[in-house]
Amino acid sequence: MSALPPGAVIGMLGSGQLGRMTALAAAPLGLEVHVFAPSAGPATQVTSRFTQAAYDDEEALARFADAVDVVTYEFENVPARTAEVLAARVPVRPGPHALATCQHRAREKGFLRDLGVPTAPWWPVATVDELAAALEALGGQGVLKTAELGYDGKGQVRVATGDDPQAVWTRLVGAVPRRDLVLEGFVHFEREASVVVARGLDGAVAPYDLVENEHRDHILHRTTAPADVSAAVASEAAALATRIIVALDYVGVLGVELFLAGDALFVNELAPRPHNSGHWTQDGAVTCQFEQHARAVAGLPLGSPARRGRTVMTNLLGDDVDAVPALLAEPGAHLHLYGKAEARPGRKMGHVNRVTPG
Ligand code: AMP
């Protein structure tokens, strides 16, 4: 299938803010978004088509597939079976293989190792005995993570050689005897960074500049674009992201999270969707990541990822939204709210982009 014409419909699994911002950015391209999700959310406030159903409701999935021209998703925990059922009827982009790789840390790390991309040292672990052996092999500090369903620092604990394997196991996963985990060596990084990269249906690749990310309580607080690094590090990051997206045979926007230790780059994890650290592109790049994602999955040519200046993106979590009147009064502050009614602590309510020339 080639490029979708104006009036075509992108199916979106998930009703969160990433889907909302993709729908808003797809509109000027003449593309509509049809959300499929178990409950309404930020995305359904800006879309007129919505299928409310569970991800394992195969009849609803079939009807949805027949009502859209392509399917994408705004979160990586889409059940593999859901992607397969849809892929049998309609193109799914990024494809089920890329999704399966990115939603399981051990598969993802194995893929990166085979590609020769540097990561923290790691050991796959499925039982307490395997954890005991891995802690021994670690020889120092590490982070034990669930292979699936972790986000914003959830599903992980700091560990060290010498810790009691049974106690560590119980602390992370409770009483279950088997669970896919990954033990990672602790990376003594100075900064966290990321590259958001897009690949079109025609194989064109467009990385945005490397950006620096600051976290608070494991949640992204601020992104600075571009990162303050040498030209060599910036181009190495772009080259890594390009190799990864090509090897995944990926169509759409991919977030590549990195640790920066001196001039060395280590990939932490991949996010198969637009990424919070790419929100700066809405006001600070020629083509924003959400439009880029819509272009890619619709088979349209990618837009330019060039920066328009220097941008600082700050997330608004929980009560931070109380600052909205002040932000609206601030010249040059671009506000993006997600339409969430309840400002629970730590909940991502919106973000603000501040662009300066340069
Ligand atoms: P993740 O859920 O894998 O993105 O991890 C959340 C955060 O934990 C990262 O942004 C890092 O700050 C920290 N972290 C995760 N893995 C490691 C590691 N191997 N070494 C040091 N810090 C880590």
Side-chain angles (χ1 to χ4, degrees), residues 105 143 145 156 184-187 189 192 257 259 268-269:
R105 287 187 197 272
V143 186
K145 304 180 179 180
Q156 55 181 269
E184 293 180 16
F186 194 81
V187 178
F189 58 83
E192 295 194 68
E257 298 179 13
F259 298 137
N268 174 32
E269 66 174 349

Side-chain angles (χ1 to χ4, degrees), residues 105 108-109 119-121 141-145 150-156 158 183-189 192 215 218-219 257-259 268-269:
R105 287 187 197 272
E108 182 175 285
K109 288 251 178 347
T119 65
Q141 305 280 320
V143 186
L144 183 65
K145 304 180 179 180
Y151 68 99
D152 286 346
K154 295 189 174 61
Q156 55 181 269
R158 286 288 304 271
L183 176 64
E184 293 180 16
F186 194 81
V187 178
H188 294 278
F189 58 83
E192 295 194 68
H215 295 84
H218 291 289
I219 302 173
E257 298 179 13
L258 298 156
F259 298 137
N268 174 32
E269 66 174 349

